[in-house]
Amino acid sequence: MSSLSRARVARRIAAGAAYGGGGIGLLGAATVGVVLAEVQLAKRTVGNGHSPHPPSADGLYGYGYAGAGQPLRLTMLGDSTAAGQGVHRARQTPGALLASGLAAVAERPVQLRNVALPGAQSDDLDRQVALALGDPGRVPDVCVIMVGANDVTHRMPATRSVRHLSAAVRRLRTAGAEVVVGTCPDLGTIEPVQQPLRWLARRASRQLAAAQTIGTVEQGGRTVSLGDLLGPEFLANPRELFGPDNYHPSAEGYATAAMAVLPTVCAALGLWPAEEERPDVSRREGFLPVARAAAEAASEAGTEVTAAMPTGPRGPWALLKRRRRRRVPATDPTPTPATEPSA
């Protein structure tokens, strides 16, 4: 599917989410029979990981920066990818990697809280946001949401999926938190999934990722495409980048995702170098209608989309950035059992 076609589909999904439509599904009715057969085969082949419970990574990171200021508050929301299912050590989870990297860039401690739930769909975000905002005196500085894969596999209508995500972003932004959404990964790369489900899963994943971008940007959040992180690199190195169950990422896979998301988290907090915030024409960065930016981002991992201009004749505009991937700084990745100072 071309980026222009994907942009049109994403606009329709986002519009349906905004105005209450519910009839736009992720897969056409004619394919449901064969998809269901393939899904059952994939479910028998793909496990749920060796550990049903992701390791808890909540705690204080960057303890060496104690005294440099109040800890930044980072909250993870979403599904098993946000929770870190598939690894055995807390320091290997994406939340821990992001907290460690953010502490190194900010030179301040970071308090991590993870309310993500393995198996969650977008309709669980309402509950998770309530947990994240439970203490009005400790609103997160930045929230990272990773969600969407289970919406595809459970065939949740895309309009409903985007509606829940948009509402979550709106509530968090209204409370004062910055929001970064890692959009739906490319499920067409899961190793046991065969054709034609592989092609259908890829198409549905990218359509949802583009629509998620529109919904998020319109509510004041930023998105980072995770699609290709589960694309060419995962296909080329499935034993290295997938975990033991061939479904959830391995420690190396989570590190790759964290490297893609960290620059946007830092930029949202005003911590990224100013010279890198200007669009680089040589990297095909620039201002685009939000639907087109969303469609392009869905096809290239690590691509950030954020609101840039007021709504014009062609709808909202966005800035598309292809941020360079950097290694996550290695600071004390194991959380220190410390009490966060009162705000």
Side-chain angles (χ1 to χ4, degrees), residues 56-61 99 110-113 335-338:
S56 175
D58 288 12
L60 190 68
Y61 292 74
V110 173
Q111 186 75 30
L112 172 66
R113 186 183 184 197
T336 302

Side-chain angles (χ1 to χ4, degrees), residues 287-337:
F287 300 98
L288 296 169
V290 66
R292 183 177 168 191
E296 291 198 14
S299 301
E300 185 172 343
T303 303
E304 174 190 314
V305 180
T306 185
M309 295 181 181
T311 301
R314 298 176 65 185
W317 282 65
L319 173 61
L320 183 143
K321 293 279 296 177
R322 293 179 168 89
R323 295 193 181 275
R324 296 171 177 82
R325 297 182 197 171
R326 300 184 174 189
R327 295 190 64 82
V328 177
T331 66
D332 54 343
T334 303
T336 302

Side-chain angles (χ1 to χ4, degrees), residues 241-291:
L241 292 176
F242 276 123
D245 60 3
N246 292 326
Y247 186 89
H248 295 99
S250 66
E252 184 66 25
Y254 280 130
T256 303
M259 281 190 288
V261 174
L262 178 60
T264 300
V265 170
C266 293
L269 294 171
L271 299 172
W272 212 237
E275 61 271 17
E276 293 200 15
E277 293 306 292
R278 292 189 291 270
D280 185 343
V281 177
S282 68
R283 293 170 59 80
R284 296 179 293 117
E285 298 178 346
F287 300 98
L288 296 169
V290 66

